[in-house]
Amino acid sequence: METAKLLKTIADSVLNMDEEAAANYVKQALEAGIDPMVIINEGLIAGMNQAGKLFEENEYFVPELLLCSDAMYAGLNVVTPHIKREENLYYGSVVIGVVEGDTHDIGKNLVKVMLEASGFRVYDLGRNVPAKTFVEKVKETRADLLCLSTLMTTTMGEMKKVIDLLEEEKIRGNVKVLVGGGPVSSSFARSIGADGYGENAAGAVRVAKEVLGIPQTRAS
């Protein structure tokens, strides 16, 4: 099966909520020599993006979206061990999590995978994380970067709360803050004092390197 067709089949498996098919086609793609990052971006994430569009159009609802994410994770579990990590490189430590009030962590999990593959040590706090917990972890790990995610407009304000708390604790100058998620934009990021905005998982790695002053590699 040619590359484009195989990637579309992976995307369709996610869209059709078929975990077994997603895992099997990802395995086939790896055996065919397709780059793991291409499989993730043009197969698994592409399928999840299509599911997101159907959700916005009220053709899919939360149960369908969750089943699509299960299929995506089934494929991700197969491909992740094959990602070529940037060996002998350490770009710094990252604290990442979904802000308080939000339990949607698909995007956050993808960003975590991409950051780890790119040479970062990632401390994942999970979802529904209070501002205080983010700040405490930044202090504990002396993180270079803090990544905040949300998929809900109602919890976007939590991002500013975290940044304000960093200021109160007088450690804002020690850590760069990157924000992302469905309703988030670059203008919103600027308005709350964040250092950068990641539109998607691949973009988050690029922006992370930019704000930390790390030279870009061809892979990122």
Side-chain angles (χ1 to χ4, degrees):
M1 191 182 298
E2 64 183 53
T3 297
K5 188 174 181 180
L6 190 49
L7 291 171
K8 184 180 185 304
T9 303
I10 292 171
D12 288 344
S13 298
V14 172
L15 191 62
N16 294 329
M17 301 165 274
D18 192 332
E19 294 182 46
E20 184 177 356
N24 287 337
Y25 285 121
V26 165
K27 184 178 180 181
Q28 286 185 36
L30 289 168
E31 291 172 348
I34 301 175
D35 185 272
M37 298 308 294
V38 172
I39 294 172
I40 291 174
N41 288 313
E42 298 181 29
L44 297 170
I45 294 179
M48 203 63 218
N49 286 341
Q50 291 175 45
K53 289 180 181 178
L54 291 179
F55 178 74
E56 291 173 359
E57 295 167 359
N58 292 321
E59 291 188 37
Y60 271 16
F61 298 94
V62 172
E64 287 83 6
L65 205 60
L66 291 175
L67 289 171
C68 287
S69 69
D70 287 343
M72 182 194 70
Y73 285 131
L76 202 57
N77 288 338
V78 175
V79 72
T80 299
H82 297 272
I83 295 174
K84 293 180 180 178
R85 303 181 187 277
E86 297 187 20
E87 297 181 6
N88 302 319
L89 291 178
Y90 171 64
Y91 288 138
S93 59
V94 181
V95 171
I96 190 171
V98 180
V99 297
E100 188 169 20
D102 192 346
T103 59
H104 302 88
D105 62 357
I106 296 171
K108 182 268 296 178
N109 291 339
L110 290 171
V111 171
K112 175 188 175 183
V113 169
M114 300 285 273
L115 286 170
E116 288 179 332
S118 300
F120 291 91
R121 178 181 296 130
V122 181
Y123 298 92
D124 184 2
L125 298 181
R127 52 192 182 180
N128 193 27
V129 182
K132 183 179 179 181
T133 302
F134 279 116
V135 174
E136 289 175 346
K137 195 65 176 180
V138 167
K139 285 182 178 180
E140 175 194 332
T141 61
R142 297 185 178 181
D144 302 288
L145 181 68
L146 172 60
C147 293
L148 306 173
S149 173
T150 188
L151 195 65
M152 300 168 59
T153 56
T154 53
T155 53
M156 290 169 67
E158 291 296 319
M159 293 178 163
K160 186 176 188 308
K161 186 183 293 186
V162 175
I163 293 174
D164 288 345
L165 190 54
L166 289 170
E167 294 279 5
E168 290 177 20
E169 295 293 322
K170 303 187 186 306
I171 59 171
R172 176 66 182 91
N174 300 336
V175 62
K176 298 295 185 181
V177 179
L178 182 64
V179 298
V184 181
S185 65
S186 56
S187 59
F188 173 77
R190 289 191 298 271
S191 74
I192 64 171
D195 298 290
Y197 157 69
E199 183 177 4
N200 50 44
V205 174
R206 177 181 55 77
V207 176
K209 289 184 176 182
E210 284 180 1
V211 300
L212 292 174
I214 298 168
Q216 301 289 334
T217 61
R218 187 171 61 181
S220 60

